[in-house]
Amino acid sequence: MLVLSQSSFYVARAIKKNSCNQKNQLIGYYLDNGEHEYIIPAGIWLDSVGVSIFPEYYEEYLPKIFHQDFSSLSEIVPRIGTDLFIPKISTILDDIATYTPTSEISELFYEAKILEIIEAFLSWKSNAVHNVIDKEDSEALHRLGHYLEQNFSNPTNIQMYARMCNMSKSKLSELFHSIYGYTIVEFIKNCRIDKAKRLLLENDLSIQQIASAVGYSHQSSFTYIFKQHVGCTPREYRKDNSNFHSISSTISTSKNHL
């Protein structure tokens, strides 16, 4: 069974010994018997969202539907969190984590997200440009990705990013997309929206305050982009998800704080 998760540091380190110290980490691994045992120190907050993909799904079901070979998934997934990071998958798992299940469409939503994850893996694999990026450029692009994750609220400046990576704007745009699966603008937008979704549920800041916090000077622009990305306005998102988030937080606090 293949497992993908976005987990807090202690969970990630228990599974992958070489994981870094980021608050939330994307990891992938293979379980022979579907079980994994590890010990977490007392008093540690646990946070994890993930999906499990059984061999029957990618070895039998998917090839029958799409007439393609999906066996490479078993080689690519375990590399996540070791020498491979695909931000698009992290974004998809964030979508799963913040989704409010409904009896009518939940099954469709989750299956669609699984297919998005698989598409992201195969797109990465088939991208010929990715395979010719030299080590120096690859390291520069990963540093840039980390920088953007920490500074997404700042004005977007492609010229500055190109200087940071010591490459032309056109080369930067091409290589960044080949590694991350998004343009720089899309990557920043995803970071902003993900942060906004958390702020909407975790505190009582006004919509204008949240817009400013994630890099939008005008609430109307923030609302427009948020609705394009999420499918509802920030106010509607807060209203529709606040009760579910409150219940989930209560359950997590009582069960996961050891």
Side-chain angles (χ1 to χ4, degrees), residues 4-56:
L4 270 171
S5 74
Q6 187 140 270
S7 304
S8 53
F9 164 65
Y10 279 97
V11 175
R13 189 174 67 173
I15 295 172
K16 292 220 169 188
K17 305 301 182 183
N18 59 341
S19 61
C20 58
N21 294 322
Q22 294 179 357
K23 182 178 178 182
N24 289 305
Q25 299 177 57
L26 182 64
I27 54 176
Y29 49 99
Y30 184 83
L31 295 180
D32 288 325
N33 58 6
E35 298 180 356
H36 189 94
E37 296 182 359
Y38 48 86
I39 298 174
I40 302 294
I44 297 300
W45 177 262
L46 306 184
D47 184 19
S48 182
V49 57
V51 298
S52 300
I53 308 175
F54 289 88
E56 294 83 358

Side-chain angles (χ1 to χ4, degrees), residues 149-186:
E149 288 175 340
Q150 304 300 316
N151 298 275
F152 56 80
S153 61
N154 293 340
T156 302
N157 188 331
I158 305 298
Q159 183 64 53
M160 182 184 77
Y161 306 149
R163 289 197 300 269
M164 289 170 61
C165 294
N166 194 30
M167 59 183 70
S168 67
K169 291 194 294 184
S170 59
K171 180 179 179 181
L172 171 65
S173 298
E174 180 180 18
L175 297 188
F176 188 95
H177 189 275
S178 73
I179 286 183
Y180 289 99
Y182 295 104
T183 66
I184 292 176
V185 172
E186 290 170 339

Side-chain angles (χ1 to χ4, degrees), residues 128-139:
V129 177
H130 179 89
N131 295 325
V132 297
I133 299 176
D134 63 39
K135 183 179 179 181
E136 184 177 343
D137 285 343
S138 179
E139 290 176 350

Side-chain angles (χ1 to χ4, degrees), residues 19-218:
S19 61
C20 58
N21 294 322
Q22 294 179 357
K23 182 178 178 182
N24 289 305
Q25 299 177 57
L26 182 64
I27 54 176
Y29 49 99
Y30 184 83
L31 295 180
D32 288 325
N33 58 6
E35 298 180 356
H36 189 94
E37 296 182 359
Y38 48 86
I39 298 174
I40 302 294
I44 297 300
W45 177 262
L46 306 184
D47 184 19
S48 182
V49 57
V51 298
S52 300
I53 308 175
F54 289 88
E56 294 83 358
Y57 185 74
Y58 60 86
E59 292 178 356
E60 300 175 15
Y61 175 75
L62 289 180
K64 186 182 299 183
I65 299 297
F66 296 103
H67 308 291
Q68 295 184 46
D69 180 14
F70 294 86
S71 60
S72 60
L73 288 173
S74 61
E75 301 174 1
I76 301 174
V77 172
R79 292 178 56 189
I80 294 291
T82 302
D83 65 342
L84 178 61
F85 175 62
I86 304 177
K88 186 175 183 179
I89 294 174
S90 181
T91 300
I92 296 169
L93 289 176
D94 282 339
D95 290 341
I96 293 174
T98 57
Y99 174 66
T100 302
T102 58
S103 58
E104 296 84 3
I105 61 172
S106 292
E107 185 175 348
L108 287 174
F109 174 86
Y110 290 122
E111 181 160 6
K113 290 300 175 184
I114 295 295
L115 292 175
E116 280 189 59
I117 288 172
I118 292 173
E119 183 276 332
F121 276 121
L122 297 184
S123 292
W124 173 86
K125 180 176 182 293
S126 65
N127 195 323
V129 177
H130 179 89
N131 295 325
V132 297
I133 299 176
D134 63 39
K135 183 179 179 181
E136 184 177 343
D137 285 343
S138 179
E139 290 176 350
L141 289 163
H142 281 91
R143 286 196 300 271
L144 175 61
H146 181 69
Y147 172 85
L148 295 177
E149 288 175 340
Q150 304 300 316
N151 298 275
F152 56 80
S153 61
N154 293 340
T156 302
N157 188 331
I158 305 298
Q159 183 64 53
M160 182 184 77
Y161 306 149
R163 289 197 300 269
M164 289 170 61
C165 294
N166 194 30
M167 59 183 70
S168 67
K169 291 194 294 184
S170 59
K171 180 179 179 181
L172 171 65
S173 298
E174 180 180 18
L175 297 188
F176 188 95
H177 189 275
S178 73
I179 286 183
Y180 289 99
Y182 295 104
T183 66
I184 292 176
V185 172
E186 290 170 339
F187 184 88
I188 293 172
K189 184 190 298 183
N190 287 338
C191 291
R192 289 177 171 181
I193 296 302
D194 288 343
K195 179 63 174 180
K197 287 160 71 175
R198 292 194 294 272
L199 291 175
L200 284 164
L201 300 183
E202 294 174 357
N203 57 63
D204 296 323
L205 292 175
S206 69
I207 304 301
Q208 178 60 60
Q209 288 174 313
I210 292 174
S212 298
V214 298
Y216 295 99
S217 55
H218 300 290

